[in-house]
């Protein structure tokens, strides 16, 4: 990937790619209705565009089985800022269409369990990074890029490898990943993403004031953040997911060749095929020595 620091930037011009969680299983029981949540998001996008007429905002919806673009401010730029409101209204209709289409795909996927279905954030992050790279290659002067993830549903351990690959790609390209959790559970994936890439992680206490949180914390450009005291994560969950069962583990076995992680001892690595002759003890039978 092209490194962000190799390009010329304007200090206060931003490219913000917003990843929105549209998981119907989460929003069906959320304290804040999705319509109100999306209204807060629309006001936030408007505020970003009002801060600087050169700001560029893209919104990507992450569903259970798919993800797609639902808004791109550059589509309104050719006709002028007066058309932004109409473009945002069109984005609302596109979100509704996306949710219906994703629901049909999810219904046809027998492997998706309704109780704990996770959103496809790995795919959404990949799309966001690809879009940023396309902007990098479009000219010699670009806005400062960053990604904002609005997640409500729990993490999907089966997406661990893909999510971590996206996180390290963002780190290499110097693209911060900001995280705003609108669900009841913290996200270990996004905690690591914000920690590794230098972004901001926050879990609002009062969702009815979501716009105020977004405007006060996530609207500031990267240059202005050097002068602000933004929220810091008190702790980061660095637990990984095993490659064999896709479950989050506290202790496990690591392949010395490809660094694959397993919850149980295997004589042969299923990822790279390396064979291990040394017999290792069963971690499940060892006493818990954590303090």
């Amino acid at each position: 990937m092209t490194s962000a620091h190799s390009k010329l930037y304007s200090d206060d011009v931003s490219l913000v790619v917003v990843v929105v969680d549209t998981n119907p299983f989460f929003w069906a029981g959320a304290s804040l209705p999705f319509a109100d949540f999306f209204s807060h998001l629309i006001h936030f996008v408007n505020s970003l565009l009002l801060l600087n007429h050169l700001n560029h905002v893209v919104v990507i919806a992450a569903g259970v089985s798919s993800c797609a673009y639902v808004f791109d401010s550059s589509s309104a730029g050719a006709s002028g800022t007066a058309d932004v409101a109409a473009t945002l209204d069109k984005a609302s209709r596109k979100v509704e269409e996306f949710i219906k289409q994703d629901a049909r795909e999810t219904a046809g996927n027998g492997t998706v369990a309704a109780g704990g279905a996770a959103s496809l954030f790995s795919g959404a992050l990949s799309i966001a990074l690809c879009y940023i790279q396309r902007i990098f290659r479009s000219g010699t002067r670009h806005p400062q890029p960053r990604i904002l993830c609005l997640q409500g549903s729990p993490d999907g351990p089966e997406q661990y490898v893909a999510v971590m690959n996206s996180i390290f790609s963002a780190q290499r390209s110097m693209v911060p990943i900001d995280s705003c959790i609108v669900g009841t559970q913290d996200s270990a994936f996004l905690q690591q993403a914000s920690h590794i890439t230098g972004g901001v992680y926050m879990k609002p206490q009062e969702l009815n004031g979501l716009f105020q949180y977004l405007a006060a914390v996530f609207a500031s450009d990267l240059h202005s953040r050097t002068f602000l005291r933004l929220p810091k994560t008190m702790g980061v969950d660095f637990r990984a997911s095993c490659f064999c069962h896709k479950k989050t583990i506290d202790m496990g076995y690591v392949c010395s060749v490809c660094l694959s992680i397993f919850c149980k001892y295997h004589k042969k690595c299923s990822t790279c095929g390396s064979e291990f002759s040394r017999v290792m003890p069963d971690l499940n039978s060892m006493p818990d020595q954590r303090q």
Side-chain angles (χ1 to χ4, degrees):
M1 282 190 174
T2 304
S3 179
H5 64 75
S6 64
K7 299 292 185 178
L8 298 175
Y9 292 92
S10 298
D11 288 340
D12 58 346
V13 181
S14 301
L15 163 61
V16 184
V17 183
V18 184
V19 178
V20 182
D21 190 349
T22 62
N23 191 322
F25 302 120
F26 164 74
W27 290 110
S31 59
L32 181 70
F34 181 78
D36 295 343
F37 163 78
F38 198 74
S39 177
H40 286 289
L41 176 62
I42 291 297
H43 292 312
F44 173 65
V45 171
N46 263 324
S47 67
L48 289 176
L49 297 176
L50 288 172
L51 285 173
N52 193 312
H53 71 284
L54 294 177
N55 280 352
H56 188 172
V57 182
V58 177
V59 179
I60 300 174
V64 177
S65 302
S66 60
C67 44
Y69 295 104
V70 295
F71 174 74
D72 189 339
S73 62
S74 63
S75 61
S79 302
T81 56
D83 291 336
V84 171
T87 305
L88 290 171
D89 182 64
K90 182 180 178 181
S92 300
R93 295 193 298 270
K94 290 188 66 175
V95 167
E96 294 178 0
E97 296 172 359
F98 169 80
I99 293 175
K100 293 178 181 178
Q101 177 63 29
D102 185 68
R104 288 192 291 268
E105 294 182 12
T106 302
N109 185 1
T111 61
V112 175
S119 297
L120 195 62
F121 264 83
S122 58
L125 285 175
S126 298
I127 292 177
L129 289 170
C130 288
Y131 188 95
I132 291 173
Q133 286 299 315
R134 188 173 69 185
I135 297 298
F136 281 176
R137 293 179 171 88
S138 63
T140 58
R141 192 172 182 83
H142 310 300
Q144 291 276 6
R146 66 182 187 270
I147 298 173
L148 170 60
C149 295
L150 299 171
Q151 180 175 344
S153 57
D155 292 332
E158 70 280 355
Q159 302 180 47
Y160 173 76
V161 177
V163 170
M164 293 306 298
N165 284 339
S166 296
I167 292 173
F168 292 131
S169 296
Q171 180 192 34
R172 180 181 177 185
S173 298
M174 299 181 67
V175 178
I177 298 179
D178 296 330
S179 308
C180 181
I181 306 301
V182 295
T184 57
Q185 302 178 13
D186 281 299
S187 169
F189 289 173
L190 292 184
Q191 282 182 345
Q192 295 182 49
S194 298
H195 177 77
I196 292 173
T197 62
V200 178
Y201 179 93
M202 186 183 67
K203 187 174 182 292
Q205 299 300 315
E206 183 57 53
L207 292 180
N208 289 327
L210 180 61
F211 169 71
Q212 282 74 15
Y213 286 102
L214 295 176
V217 177
F218 299 107
S220 56
D221 58 80
L222 299 183
H223 178 69
S224 299
R225 290 185 181 188
T226 59
F227 306 101
L228 301 175
R229 296 188 63 180
L230 297 174
K232 294 184 179 180
T233 307
M234 298 302 295
V236 180
D237 187 353
F238 287 106
R239 289 183 300 172
S241 297
C242 66
F243 285 32
C244 45
H245 299 95
K246 312 300 181 184
K247 294 182 179 180
T248 303
I249 57 175
D250 295 305
M251 300 178 65
Y253 300 92
V254 180
C255 174
S256 58
V257 178
C258 67
L259 302 182
S260 296
I261 303 171
F262 304 97
C263 59
K264 295 182 179 180
Y265 173 72
H266 295 270
K267 294 183 178 180
K268 184 177 181 179
C269 176
S270 59
T271 303
C272 66
S274 299
E275 297 184 357
F276 310 106
S277 57
R278 182 181 177 183
V279 178
M280 301 297 293
D282 186 3
L283 294 179
N284 295 325
S285 61
M286 296 177 64
D288 190 354
Q289 299 179 352
R290 290 174 293 173
Q291 299 295 328

